[in-house]
Amino acid sequence: MAKDLPTQARVVIVGGGIVGCSVAYHLTKLGWTDVVLLERGTLSCGTTWHAAGLVGQLRATLNLTRLAQYTADLYETLEAETGQATGFKRNGSVAVARTAERMTELKRSASMARSFGLDVFIITPSEAGELWPLMRTDDLVGAAFVPRDGQTNPSDTTAALAKGARAGGARIIENTKVTAIHRRNGAVAGVATDEGDIACETVVNCGGMWAREIGRGCGVTVPLHAAEHMYIVTKPIEGLASDVPSLRDTDGYIYVKEDAGKILLGGFEPVAKPWGMGGIPDDISFLQLEDDWEQFEPLMENALIRVPVLETAEVRQFFNGPESFTPDNLYILGEAPELRNFYVAAGFNSIGIQSAGGAGKAVAEWIVEGAPTMDLWDVDIRRFSSFQGNARYLHDRTFESLGLLYAMHWPFRQPETARGVRHSPLHDRLAERGACFGVVAGWERPNWYAPDGVEPRYEYSFGRQNWFPYWAEEHMAVRRSVGLFDQTSFAKFLLAGRDAEAVLQGICAGDVAVAPGKVVYTQMLNERGGIEADLTITRLAPDSYFIVTGAPVATHNFDWIRRNIPADARVSLTDMTSAYAVIGLMGPRSRELLARVTDTDLSNEAFPFLTAREIEVGYAPVRALRITYVGELGWELYIPTEFAAGVYDALVAAGGDLGPRLAGYHAMDSLRSEKAYRHWGHDITGEYTPLEAGLGFAVALAKNTPFVGRDALLRQREEGLRRRLVSFTLDDPEPLLYHDEPIWRDGAIVGRITSGSYGHLLGRAVGMGYVANGGEVIDAEFIKSGRYEIEIARERFPATAHLRPPYDPKSERVRG
C-alpha cells in the first residue's frame, strides 16, 4: 500500500489533533509501542490549529484542576525532551471582576485553589493594571492572578507530542480517513480506512467535531455539537510586553493574550451560533468560516472598554472557526458503555489545549490499566444518557453552552435551553402547585415550590437566593410532619435469573443473600476499594432483584453492573426506569398518612425499616420500600407509571390536617446533609473507600463470596486509614457552604468540603469533607482534638467537626 498501512495494531487512535497526539504520546510512555494514529488530513488540521493556546489550570473541580496542572507541567518540558519548539511560556493569567458578585466568584475560586495546591492571588484593580498596563481598571472591583498559568503554540505543541510519540514507537499516518469501526461480540475488532483495514484491540475516538459521527457509526453516543468561535488578531501594538499575562474579563465575555507583539482577542458570547447542522464536512482541512462582525460585536464592545488601545488598533485578521461543545461544558473521556474497548477523548469546549496533556494521560492509563487511575466522573462519558446524542437537543443546547464558559457560575444554576425532555407523570400536577424545576439527566425535577403569588423562578446569587425561605419551610415540614417528594427520576434496574444472587454477591460489598422482601443498602467497588456505585437492592424473589440508584449515574451504574456479570452467568439486566414513578413520603407522620390510603399494616413489627411490601393504594398496585434519604421515617412508593397520578391524588386527598407538604430536591439535599447521608459524585466516588467514607457498616467483609474490592479493604483495615469523611457545621449561622471550600485544622489545610448545604433544623450551614494528616494514619482522636475553620471566599469561619451525624446520630427517627 502507498502509505505502508499496517494490517494490525494494538491501539488505533482516530484523529491527529493535540488530544489524539497526547493519547499516543502517553501510551508510549506507558510502554505500549504498537500504536497507530490515523489522521484524515494533516496533524492539527481540525480545531487545534486555530486554538488561542491559553493554558489555564484552575478548573471547576479538584480532578480537572489536577489534569490541567499536569498539562502545564508537561508542556514546560516538551521542547527539551523532543527538540521541537512549542512556544510555551508561563506568563500567568489575570481574571478581572466588574461586579461584587464576580469578585465573590473569584474569591471562592481562589479559596478552592488552595485545597488543590494551586497559587491564586486576589489582587486590587491597580495591581492588575500593573500586570496589564494597557488595561482600563477604574471600573473594576478586583482581580485574581495565577502566576503559573501560561500559553503555548497549539500546532507546535501538537508536533512535539507527535514527535515524542514516534520516538516511543507509535506510527502516525496522515491523509488516511477512517470510514468504519469493525465490531465483534460487543467489542472493537478493527477499523476500516480508505487505504485498507487495520485489525486492533482498542480504538480511541479523538475525532474532535467529527467524534459524534464516528461514534454513531458504531452505535456509541458522543454528545457534542459544533459552534462558530471567533477571534481577531491585531497588527503589532506599541507598549505590549511579551511577558504580559493572558487576560480574562468574563463579565465582558472576553479573553485577551499577547501574540508576538500583537493582541489576540476572543470570547464566548452569551448566545452562540451552532454550526454544522447538516453534518461536518470530512474533506476540508484548516477550515475557516465567514467573518461575522455582527456576532462578534458584543465581544468587541467589551474589549474596547477593557483595552482602550484597541479603538485605534488595526485588525490584521478576523478568524472564525468551528469548535465542539458538550451539553454540560465538560469534555468527554473514557470507554463507551455501548462498545468495549472503544474509548473517547473529545468535546473539549474550547479548552482542548489546556486539557490535552492531562486528558491524554488519563485515557492512556485507563486503556493500559483497564480502569481509570483517578476519579474522572466529571468528564466520564457514562454521565450521559443515550437521548443526549439527539441532534436537535445538542443544537438547541449549544446556543447556551458556549456562553456558559464565561457566564457567572452561580450555585444551583439551571440550563435554559433544551428543556422539557423527560417528564414525570406528576409533572403537570406539581407545576400547578408552584414547582420550580431543575434538570438532571434530562429529567425535569421539582427543586423547590413557590407559594401562591410567587413566580417559581431562580434569582441567583452566592448568598441566600430568593427561594431560601420556601426551602426552609419544606425542610422543616419533613422534620416535623410529612413531605411528599417526586423521585421518579431514580434509575431502576431488574436483575433476574438463576445466578442473580451469585452475581450480586460478587459485585456488591454488602450481603444481598437475604430473604425476599428485604432491602439492602450497599456499594459496588472497584479493585482499589473505591466506590463505583451507591445504591439500594431489594430482593423480590429467589431469582430476581430490584436495583435503585440516582438519575445522574444511570448509564454508569448500568454499565458497571453489566460489565461485571460473568460471561457464563444466567441472568438478565433490564432498565426499568420508565416503568415506575416514585413518590417519597417522608416524615414522622408519614405512617399516619400512608395508613389512610392502604389497608396494609405499617407498624414497625409488620413493616420494619429496610423491608419492601406489595401494597394497594387506592386502585393501584404499589411496591413500598421502607427506606429514606432524608433521615426520617418514610417510604418510597414505586408505582407503575400509568397509576402514578391516581396514587398522588389519593395521598393529597387523604392528607387533610397532615398536608402533605410538597418538597423538592433542594430540601432533600439539605435533609440528607443534616443526617450525613453521602452523595455519590461528591462525598463518595471511585477514589474513596467505604471505610474512609464511614460506610463500613454496609460492608460484609466476612461473607463467603469474595467481592470486587474486598482485598483492598482488608489491606486498608490492616494498615489504617489516612483520611476520613467528617461532618462539619459552621458556628456562625450566616455563611453558606456549597463544595470545595478548604478545611483548616489548627492553621493548616487538611481537606476540602465535598458537599455542603444549609441545615435548617440545625440553624447553620452543614457539610462533609475528608480530613487527612499529611499521609499519616488518622484516628478519631486526631479529628476530635483539632480546632477547625472552613474558608469561604478567602474568609475563614470557625466550624465544629462531627464523627457522627449532627442530626439524629442514633437513627432513632428513621426506625421510629
Side-chain angles (χ1 to χ4, degrees):
M1 295 181 185
K3 295 171 185 166
D4 192 25
L5 196 76
T7 58
Q8 62 181 31
R10 194 172 190 181
V11 181
V12 171
I13 299 165
V14 183
I18 194 167
V19 175
C21 290
S22 178
V23 173
Y25 171 89
H26 285 94
L27 281 170
T28 64
K29 290 296 182 183
L30 294 172
W32 284 33
T33 59
D34 190 9
V35 176
V36 173
L37 184 150
L38 302 175
E39 165 55 47
R40 62 177 179 82
T42 57
L43 295 185
S44 80
C45 72
T47 297
T48 297
W49 72 280
H50 64 72
L54 302 180
V55 185
Q57 298 173 88
L58 181 58
R59 308 307 307 155
T61 66
L62 167 62
N63 289 314
L64 294 186
T65 300
R66 288 164 62 185
L67 293 177
Q69 287 176 293
Y70 170 82
T71 297
D73 291 343
L74 172 66
Y75 292 173
E76 193 168 34
T77 63
L78 264 182
E79 183 171 342
E81 176 192 343
T82 65
Q84 165 66 49
T86 63
F88 179 78
K89 58 182 179 181
R90 287 204 190 257
N91 54 324
S93 70
V94 174
V96 300
R98 301 188 187 192
T99 67
E101 289 280 32
R102 181 70 76 175
M103 197 64 225
T104 298
E105 180 181 76
L106 292 181
K107 287 180 178 179
R108 291 188 67 91
S109 295
S111 288
M112 181 177 69
R114 276 185 169 155
S115 62
F116 299 170
L118 178 64
D119 288 331
V120 178
F121 299 97
I122 297 299
I123 59 177
T124 65
S126 61
E127 289 171 327
E130 292 173 6
L131 291 167
W132 233 95
L134 298 181
M135 173 174 59
R136 175 187 171 187
T137 62
D138 64 319
D139 61 340
L140 297 179
V141 177
F145 176 49
V146 187
R148 297 283 289 167
D149 278 355
Q151 61 189 62
T152 198
N153 182 298
S155 295
D156 288 345
T157 306
T158 302
L161 289 166
K163 189 173 181 180
R166 288 190 183 101
R171 297 185 61 183
I172 296 177
I173 304 174
E174 298 176 290
N175 299 305
T176 301
K177 177 184 174 183
V178 172
T179 58
I181 309 297
H182 294 313
R183 294 168 281 174
R184 185 181 303 115
N185 299 326
V188 162
V191 300
T193 81
D194 54 3
E195 298 283 345
D197 288 2
I198 304 176
C200 65
E201 301 171 10
T202 300
V203 169
V204 190
N205 178 1
C206 299
M209 294 183 294
W210 294 267
R212 177 174 176 268
E213 292 306 315
I214 294 170
R216 281 169 59 87
C218 57
V220 171
T221 298
V222 184
L224 55 81
H225 197 290
E228 298 186 25
H229 186 55
M230 308 167 198
Y231 61 74
I232 63 169
V233 180
T234 70
K235 288 191 173 181
I237 301 292
E238 186 177 351
L240 181 64
S242 62
D243 61 350
V244 70
S246 58
L247 170 64
R248 293 179 179 87
D249 178 1
T250 49
D251 290 314
Y253 332 123
I254 60 170
Y255 61 83
V256 184
K257 79 160 197 172
E258 183 275 339
D259 182 15
K262 305 177 288 293
I263 282 180
L264 185 152
L265 163 68
F268 298 93
E269 62 273 28
V271 181
K273 285 185 67 178
W275 181 82
M277 284 68 76
I280 309 296
D282 60 8
D283 57 350
I284 299 177
S285 297
F286 303 104
L287 175 64
Q288 294 191 52
L289 306 178
E290 292 184 4
D291 296 359
D292 190 340
W293 281 101
E294 183 177 355
Q295 180 73 12
F296 196 75
E297 184 177 4
L299 307 182
M300 195 69 209
E301 289 177 347
N302 279 291
L304 294 175
I305 294 171
R306 188 59 46 228
V307 186
V309 71
L310 286 169
E311 191 161 357
T312 57
E314 187 174 348
V315 175
R316 190 186 75 172
Q317 179 188 18
F318 185 110
F319 183 83
N320 184 6
E323 298 188 22
S324 58
F325 293 81
T326 64
D328 60 2
N329 278 115
L330 296 171
Y331 51 88
I332 304 171
L333 296 184
E335 187 179 10
E338 302 95 336
L339 183 62
R340 294 193 306 279
N341 298 329
F342 184 87
Y343 289 80
V344 178
F348 281 86
N349 305 283
S350 201
I351 60 167
I353 306 304
Q354 67 189 48
S355 305
K361 178 176 184 287
V363 170
E365 290 176 347
W366 195 332
I367 292 168
V368 172
E369 298 296 329
T373 57
M374 61 182 290
D375 174 24
L376 294 171
W377 174 243
D378 299 314
V379 292
D380 193 317
I381 190 171
R382 293 170 294 178
R383 72 188 187 273
F384 290 116
S385 301
S386 59
F387 83 87
Q388 289 173 293
N390 177 281
R392 178 55 55 183
Y393 169 88
L394 291 168
H395 168 270
D396 292 352
R397 177 59 60 82
T398 300
F399 280 107
E400 177 183 19
S401 56
L402 180 145
L404 289 179
L405 284 164
Y406 275 16
M408 287 291 295
H409 299 96
W410 298 116
F412 312 109
R413 181 164 191 157
Q414 301 296 321
E416 298 176 2
T417 55
R419 294 291 298 267
V421 179
R422 305 171 83 177
H423 281 182
S424 156
L426 306 181
H427 180 273
D428 291 349
R429 283 169 166 77
L430 303 182
E432 290 174 357
R433 295 285 298 275
C436 184
F437 293 96
V439 62
V440 171
W443 285 100
E444 296 291 329
R445 311 195 310 181
N447 278 347
W448 56 278
Y449 290 85
D452 290 343
V454 174
E455 184 181 358
R457 179 178 60 85
Y458 281 93
E459 296 175 10
Y460 296 115
S461 78
F462 285 101
R464 300 187 179 199
Q465 297 184 13
N466 61 308
W467 46 272
F468 190 95
Y470 318 131
W471 172 30
E473 291 171 6
E474 295 170 25
H475 181 112
M476 294 307 298
V478 175
R479 288 282 183 248
R480 292 171 175 163
S481 181
V482 59
L484 188 153
F485 297 89
D486 180 5
Q487 298 172 261
T488 299
S489 62
F490 276 170
K492 315 158 196 89
F493 312 141
L494 180 68
L495 186 76
R498 187 187 69 183
D499 297 329
E501 178 185 306
V503 167
L504 285 178
Q505 284 290 73
I507 303 175
C508 297
D511 189 353
V512 299
V514 295
K518 293 296 293 180
V519 181
V520 178
Y521 168 60
T522 186
Q523 290 79 43
M524 295 178 178
L525 313 180
N526 55 41
E527 293 289 354
R528 304 188 307 276
I531 301 170
E532 291 290 342
D534 182 66
L535 30 72
T536 61
I537 297 178
T538 301
R539 190 163 203 169
L540 304 180
D543 62 350
S544 64
Y545 289 85
F546 189 63
I547 302 170
V548 178
T549 188
V553 295
T555 303
H556 174 277
N557 288 6
F558 190 89
D559 179 66
W560 184 263
I561 296 169
R562 182 177 58 189
R563 287 175 182 257
N564 280 279
I565 296 174
D568 59 350
R570 297 189 181 182
V571 295
S572 61
L573 180 65
T574 307
D575 189 338
M576 305 292 290
T577 300
S578 298
Y580 294 95
V582 185
I583 292 175
L585 205 61
M586 303 289 161
R589 304 191 72 179
S590 58
R591 178 184 284 120
E592 186 177 347
L593 175 56
L594 189 56
R596 295 180 181 182
V597 295
T598 184
D599 294 331
T600 301
D601 186 348
L602 303 175
S603 66
N604 267 328
E605 295 73 24
F607 207 144
F609 183 57
L610 293 179
T611 56
R613 298 280 186 271
E614 303 295 330
I615 70 174
E616 295 177 352
V617 177
Y619 301 133
V622 173
R623 179 178 297 138
L625 275 60
R626 187 170 164 200
I627 195 166
T628 178
Y629 192 49
V630 300
E632 297 291 344
L633 171 71
W635 281 264
E636 291 174 357
L637 307 178
Y638 291 79
I639 311 154
T641 301
E642 66 271 27
F643 291 97
V647 171
Y648 169 86
D649 291 344
L651 289 167
V652 171
D657 57 313
L658 296 180
R661 176 67 183 249
L662 294 179
Y665 274 84
H666 290 331
M668 180 172 289
D669 189 53
S670 57
L671 290 159
R672 71 96 185 168
S673 295
E674 282 188 334
K675 190 66 177 71
Y677 284 156
R678 283 65 167 153
H679 181 274
W680 196 91
H682 287 96
D683 312 306
I684 49 178
T685 70
E687 284 198 340
Y688 302 118
T689 73
L691 304 184
E692 295 168 333
L695 297 174
F697 67 89
V699 177
L701 286 170
K703 71 179 181 180
N704 292 329
T705 305
F707 57 87
V708 177
R710 178 176 179 271
D711 292 344
L713 296 189
L714 290 172
R715 286 193 302 271
Q716 188 175 67
R717 186 177 66 173
E718 181 179 345
E719 296 169 359
L721 300 179
R722 286 170 170 76
R723 58 186 175 187
R724 290 185 64 172
L725 188 65
V726 179
S727 287
F728 292 92
T729 51
L730 296 185
D731 297 348
D732 185 336
E734 290 305 312
L736 302 178
L737 292 175
Y738 298 116
H739 55 81
D740 286 325
E741 296 89 351
I743 301 168
W744 293 78
R745 179 188 181 275
D746 296 342
I749 293 179
V750 293
R752 63 186 176 90
I753 295 296
T754 51
S755 70
S757 188
Y758 197 84
H760 295 284
L761 183 72
L762 301 174
R764 60 201 66 247
V766 57
M768 285 176 276
Y770 287 88
V771 171
N773 182 22
E776 299 297 320
V777 172
I778 190 172
D779 58 16
E781 183 55 34
F782 175 84
I783 294 169
K784 292 176 182 177
S785 62
R787 180 180 61 84
Y788 291 92
E789 298 168 298
I790 308 297
E791 181 180 330
I792 305 171
R794 286 299 175 104
E795 184 178 356
R796 296 191 213 171
F797 295 90
T800 301
H802 306 265
L803 284 171
R804 304 184 71 186
Y807 174 75
D808 189 24
K810 296 182 179 179
S811 293
E812 293 170 336
R813 296 177 68 87
V814 170
R815 294 178 170 82

